[in-house]
Amino acid sequence: MSHGNWYERNMLPWLIDFACGMKSVSRQRMKVIPQAQGRVLEIGLGTGLNLPFYDAGRVQELVGVEPSLTMHHLAMKRSRAAGIPVELVGIGAERLPLADHVFDTVVSTYTLCTIPDPVLALRELRRVLRPGGRLLFSEHGRAPDESVRKWQARIQPVWGKFSGGCHLGRDIPAILKEAGFDAQVESMYIPGPRIASYHYWGEAVAV
Ligand SMILES: C[S@@+](CC[C@H](N)C(=O)[O-])C[C@H]1O[C@@H](n2cnc3c(N)ncnc32)[C@H](O)[C@@H]1O
């Protein structure tokens, strides 16, 4: 868990809340989050922007992991407003102090870009997912156009510094595959700057 430096404590949560709260991004959340059911684990819960999109009638329990403690109070506020209680734990997703095969649904939105070792985190998600359980995801990543990919690489050093370690060009389908997930992936540019707007979303099961 981390309180971070001044920028990470005072600026980053609001910046992430603003950027990840845009209408076009909310539309992506709407495509995956309402499908969560049963016992649910969300990694990198951030400021809780998914909380209004959960179907309270389908979610039996929601556990969230979020290493940045300064985001917790915003997330708890949203949890109360949405009427979706969440048990929030201040840790990263690469090593989860959770038993095997206990969750029906695991959720990652816009975290595979930031987690230092996303394959390790996804393998943890496979471990805690019950047989037949589903991973729901929506992520931005590697653009299909070479010209955009060039800009993703050019801007990355500065972008990474100001975004809390976000990578613009991660190959999300390849990462899911490497971690042992069979994913049904949809992809497209959503409205917004092209370097950060190529989206991958869908569901995946462990193989
Ligand atoms: C761009 S934000 C997305 C937040 C949220 N998932 C959303 O959809 O709005 C990336 C999040 O990943 C979190 N994060 C960073 N390292 C992580 C790790 N090792 N494990 C889990 N989450 C991590 C950050 O603190 C941040 O909240």
Side-chain angles (χ1 to χ4, degrees):
M1 70 174 150
S2 147
H3 288 285
N5 59 31
W6 186 90
Y7 173 76
E8 287 163 354
R9 279 196 316 273
N10 297 291
M11 299 287 290
L12 195 57
W14 302 103
L15 214 70
I16 285 179
D17 197 61
F18 173 74
C20 293
M22 288 188 314
K23 228 184 194 160
S24 53
V25 179
S26 297
R27 278 201 289 269
Q28 289 300 115
R29 300 181 190 281
M30 226 180 281
K31 292 175 186 172
V32 292
I33 301 302
Q35 298 171 47
Q37 57 91 29
R39 298 189 73 189
V40 180
L41 170 69
E42 180 175 334
I43 58 164
L45 187 122
T47 59
L49 285 163
N50 285 331
L51 293 169
F53 299 102
Y54 281 105
D55 178 346
R58 288 164 60 94
V59 174
Q60 184 190 330
E61 178 191 358
L62 175 62
V63 177
V65 301
E66 171 50 62
S68 166
L69 298 182
T70 50
M71 298 203 196
H72 283 206
H73 76 280
L74 278 175
M76 292 316 288
K77 231 170 136 177
R78 271 208 178 98
S79 159
R80 286 189 290 275
I84 301 276
V86 56
E87 186 188 327
L88 204 44
V89 190
I91 55 169
E94 293 96 331
R95 190 184 264 197
L96 300 170
L98 299 165
D100 295 355
H101 312 311
V102 285
F103 290 98
D104 300 291
T105 310
V106 291
V107 173
S108 171
T109 61
Y110 312 106
T111 56
L112 297 181
C113 56
T114 301
I115 294 177
D117 190 338
V119 173
L120 194 60
L122 284 170
R123 288 193 178 132
E124 271 296 80
L125 293 188
R126 269 185 65 199
R127 181 183 67 74
V128 300
L129 204 51
R130 71 161 171 76
R134 290 185 306 168
L135 162 68
L136 302 174
F137 61 92
S138 179
E139 303 284 344
H140 69 93
R142 187 175 196 266
D145 307 283
E146 204 182 328
S147 57
V148 180
R149 281 205 299 272
K150 266 189 193 151
W151 278 105
Q152 288 183 320
R154 262 182 214 145
I155 288 168
Q156 182 57 49
V158 178
W159 180 275
K161 270 198 186 107
F162 288 100
S163 62
C166 166
H167 294 77
L168 286 166
R170 282 192 173 160
D171 185 340
I172 301 299
I175 288 171
L176 289 165
K177 195 171 173 197
E178 192 182 339
F181 276 103
D182 180 15
Q184 287 173 24
V185 188
E186 294 189 68
S187 59
M188 69 172 185
Y189 285 105
I190 69 165
R194 281 166 83 79
I195 52 160
S197 67
Y198 198 73
H199 271 55
Y200 298 89
W201 73 97
E203 60 175 72
V205 291
V207 286

